Amino acid sequence: MKKKTQLIHGGIFGDEVTGAVSVPIYQVSTYKQDGPGNHRGYEYSRTGNPTRHALEELISDLEEGKRGFAFGSGMAAMTAVMMLFKQGDHVLITDDVYGGSYRVITKVLNRFGLEATFINTSDLQSIEKNIKENTKALFLETPTNPTLKITDIEGAANIAKKHGLLTIVDNTFSTPYWQNPITLGADIVLHSATKYIGGHSDVVAGLAVVNDEKLGDELHFVQNSTGGVLGPQDSWLLIRGIKTLGLRMEETEKNTKQIVNFLLEHEMVSKVYYPGIESHPNHEIAKKQARGFGGMVSFDVGSAEKAADVLSKVKYFTLAESLGAVESLISIPALMTHASIPADRRAELKITDGLIRISVGIEDAEDLIDDLKQALQN
Ligand SMILES: *Cc1c(COP(=O)(O)O)cnc(C)c1O
């Protein structure tokens, strides 16, 4: 099945009993048992809920995995995955991971004795060099935010396998429509479904997919034990969002390419970060491992003042955190998503005060370019 068909027909299609073509919202917490302990597959909705289950089957199919899991947010999904490990275990993590991922590792999970080292995973040698006796996993985010760095998933997963580590990939920016880490050797894929998968800025949710049944049992045990599950209404909204994921990603990318070309030509813009352009240092790997380059672009306008000026002038780019929705969003990472990162560390990661990040929506490209044009004018 091709991806666009899978978005509609993957997982569980509609409702067997009534013929409804949309999965019903099972707004329920508990289920009648035919005798004590004798239930029909569902006993309590933390453990399992039919609407959530339909979503979990769907994301598992889309990521070419074995089992899927839905959580109340991307961070809840990540936290549950990290709870597969124990005190004294060590994980290697991409150095410019999402700020919330950095925070949960360094400020919450560290309290329970989980050790972590943040490294440049775009450099495969750096992975090999930093593996320790107690290293249990390699956590990759690719592409990263906001400079869109790429890690060679297959290369990294091969190193991880050689050393008996699990490879975990945060696939939020690419979505299963463009990139499937499991087919490249990853063991676990994570999503903030709040972004492209939901796609309409109306749900906070997280998804995880594992590539084997045993890992699936372990993660279900954690999901059920810690309880950060996604509710049936939000599960349904994600199933609905996923139906148009392909259309949205294609349209976003078409718009993005035009915007990137415009930015590359603009005299106010000193640097454009987008994996789809040949000058991007990881362009070849991006092209090899993903079917598209996505809709996230960052560009440098030179100063905090200029960036603030642009943000004050745009009409169609909404000033907001988050990304991946039908409406275009704009932000200044140094002041918003990455404000909690110390200034010297931000400088290392090239997150300058003049760096603007946009998440390109599916509005008309001409309108979006005209908007940026007038906003960039002095
Ligand atoms: C937003 C985001 C997260 C966290 O997801 P939430 O749904 O906000 O909890 C994790 N990783 C990436 C790459 C993100 O963009």
Side-chain angles (χ1 to χ4, degrees):
M1 212 189 293
K2 300 260 184 9
K3 273 283 170 267
K4 268 191 192 146
T5 310
Q6 208 178 26
L7 293 168
I8 314 288
H9 293 277
I12 293 166
F13 183 88
D15 178 38
E16 280 280 313
V17 179
T18 61
V21 296
S22 155
V23 172
I25 301 170
Y26 284 90
Q27 194 69 52
V28 64
S29 62
T30 192
Y31 306 80
K32 178 177 179 285
Q33 305 198 357
D34 298 327
N38 180 12
H39 58 78
R40 305 172 207 171
Y42 295 97
E43 51 195 314
Y44 188 64
S45 281
R46 168 161 37 71
T47 314
N49 170 282
T51 315
R52 193 178 91 223
H53 180 65
L55 168 65
E56 292 175 332
E57 291 285 305
L58 178 56
I59 191 64
S60 175
D61 279 0
L62 293 175
E63 283 293 10
E64 316 286 336
K66 285 271 164 34
R67 301 263 298 273
F69 300 90
F71 296 88
S73 69
M75 290 323 304
M78 173 174 179
T79 303
V81 164
M82 297 321 277
M83 283 182 183
L84 295 171
F85 306 105
K86 61 180 193 310
Q87 187 178 30
D89 285 351
H90 172 253
V91 292
L92 287 173
I93 307 187
T94 301
D95 53 8
D96 50 350
V97 275
Y98 175 73
S101 308
Y102 182 80
R103 181 173 55 197
V104 75
I105 293 281
T106 57
K107 298 227 160 81
V108 180
L109 295 169
N110 64 320
R111 297 182 205 162
F112 301 93
L114 187 74
E115 296 171 18
T117 309
F118 293 85
I119 58 165
N120 175 13
T121 52
S122 299
D123 172 12
L124 295 183
Q125 283 174 357
S126 161
I127 298 175
E128 190 107 47
K129 263 201 317 252
N130 283 285
I131 293 172
K132 304 198 291 187
E133 194 90 327
N134 57 341
T135 307
K136 293 290 155 58
L138 174 62
F139 185 103
L140 309 174
E141 184 178 317
T142 181
T144 62
N145 176 27
T147 57
L148 288 310
K149 265 166 58 185
I150 307 282
T151 295
D152 174 353
I153 299 173
E154 192 167 27
N158 282 339
I159 295 170
K161 267 198 198 87
K162 205 169 74 191
H163 295 271
L165 323 182
L166 288 179
T167 302
I168 305 163
V169 180
D170 183 332
N171 200 27
T172 299
F173 272 36
S174 286
T175 82
Y177 187 70
W178 290 141
Q179 176 170 282
N180 301 116
I182 284 175
T183 64
L184 300 165
D187 301 284
I188 303 177
V189 177
L190 282 171
H191 286 284
S192 169
T194 311
K195 316 294 167 55
Y196 287 106
I197 289 180
H200 297 75
S201 301
D202 52 13
V203 190
V204 173
L207 296 168
V209 176
V210 301
N211 74 343
D212 93 15
E213 288 292 344
K214 184 166 166 289
L215 256 183
D217 288 345
E218 286 173 28
L219 189 54
H220 182 257
F221 181 79
V222 172
Q223 186 193 38
N224 187 39
S225 301
T226 58
V229 295
L230 190 65
Q233 178 92 32
D234 286 348
S235 296
W236 185 87
L237 280 167
L238 290 192
I239 294 171
R240 174 164 157 146
I242 286 170
K243 290 182 202 292
T244 57
L245 180 65
L247 295 176
R248 288 187 284 107
M249 293 311 282
E250 297 281 358
E251 206 57 26
T252 293
E253 181 156 279
K254 256 192 256 164
N255 283 354
T256 305
K257 283 188 172 145
Q258 293 183 55
I259 289 171
V260 164
N261 286 337
F262 162 76
L263 290 171
L264 285 169
E265 297 283 302
H266 202 285
E267 54 178 17
M268 291 300 250
V269 177
S270 60
K271 180 121 185 80
V272 179
Y273 298 91
Y274 186 61
I277 50 184
E278 275 171 29
S279 60
H280 186 287
N282 315 120
H283 174 68
E284 286 306 317
I285 294 161
K287 209 163 77 179
K288 195 182 98 192
Q289 70 186 9
R291 296 176 288 272
F293 302 109
M296 298 301 298
V297 183
S298 295
F299 57 100
D300 208 315
V301 293
S303 71
E305 294 72 36
K306 185 69 200 166
D309 185 49
V310 171
L311 262 64
S312 72
K313 286 180 182 161
V314 283
K315 285 196 313 263
Y316 298 131
F317 287 85
T318 303
L319 173 58
E321 296 199 3
S322 199
L323 59 105
V326 289
E327 64 277 352
S328 294
L329 300 177
I330 193 163
S331 66
I332 300 185
L335 298 180
M336 298 167 69
T337 46
H338 292 66
S340 62
I341 298 175
D344 53 337
R345 179 86 190 106
R346 280 206 305 267
E348 274 170 36
L349 297 171
K350 299 203 174 65
I351 305 169
T352 58
D353 293 347
L355 190 72
I356 294 176
R357 186 191 84 174
I358 54 175
S359 166
V360 179
I362 60 170
E363 300 95 335
D364 189 279
E366 238 176 88
D367 283 339
L368 294 178
I369 290 170
D370 283 348
D371 197 22
L372 288 174
K373 202 180 280 174
Q374 62 82 22
L376 281 162
Q377 230 152 39
N378 264 327

